[in-house]
Amino acid sequence: MQNYSDKHIVLIDGVCHLCQGITKWIIQRDPKGVFYFASLQSDVGRDLLEQGGLSVDAMDTFVYIEKGVYHTRSTAALKVARKLRFPYYLAYGFIIVPKFIRDSVYNFIARNRYRWFGRDGEDACMLPTPEIRERFL
């Protein structure tokens, strides 16, 4: 298994249209190429979840691995925002909102994301363009 401890890795639900859109959105606002991506359903994603002690069956979470440190749900999203260019890093200010409130909003969106945004089949996920392919694990 490859060591990714020096990388900034975002794990997303590879069949969720909202999650695919978020991945594209991050890539467009990350001109330095800081972030790498993997689907929660992929072998790499499952291995990384296991390494972090997270369930390989929970597809309703957003995971950000910051140089070996695992963050999930709203904390993960805010920590990703902090690494983006202006004005997006300002969203990190919401970290002062108590986690149980932030995660309640996150969980509501996660529960409804397929109904609101759609999904691909279980074996399908976003295919990266040649220009960004090296950022997918």
Side-chain angles (χ1 to χ4, degrees):
M1 178 183 309
Q2 189 167 351
N3 182 359
Y4 297 113
S5 63
D6 63 333
K7 304 260 189 252
H8 295 268
I9 301 170
V10 177
L11 300 179
I12 56 112
D13 179 350
V15 300
C16 168
H17 290 178
L18 172 63
C19 304
Q20 292 173 16
I22 289 170
T23 299
K24 292 174 189 174
W25 188 88
I26 292 169
I27 289 168
Q28 291 170 353
R29 286 149 184 86
D30 177 29
K32 294 181 182 175
V34 171
F35 294 105
Y36 291 82
F37 302 88
S39 165
L40 291 165
Q41 294 90 341
S42 70
D43 291 339
V44 169
R46 295 174 76 78
D47 288 344
L48 288 167
L49 289 171
E50 285 178 354
Q51 286 178 33
L54 301 172
S55 171
V56 296
D57 298 319
M59 295 296 127
D60 64 344
T61 192
F62 181 82
V63 179
Y64 171 46
I65 308 166
E66 185 177 24
K67 296 185 176 182
V69 178
Y70 284 68
H71 306 284
T72 60
R73 303 189 184 280
S74 65
T75 302
L78 293 173
K79 289 201 175 258
V80 166
R82 182 175 63 175
K83 297 278 185 204
L84 299 175
R85 63 182 186 217
F86 179 82
Y88 307 105
Y89 66 77
L90 296 174
Y92 186 72
F94 286 106
I95 201 78
I96 65 169
V97 175
K99 185 174 172 31
F100 78 93
I101 295 172
R102 288 186 282 115
D103 280 351
S104 293
V105 172
Y106 176 93
N107 291 337
F108 176 74
I109 294 168
R111 273 192 312 273
N112 292 290
R113 72 190 188 283
Y114 291 150
R115 185 168 15 136
W116 294 343
F117 300 98
R119 66 185 278 171
D120 293 328
E122 291 300 319
D123 295 331
C125 63
M126 180 181 85
L127 293 175
T129 63
E131 300 84 39
I132 60 170
R133 187 160 306 179
E134 68 274 357
R135 293 178 63 186
F136 285 79
L137 306 176

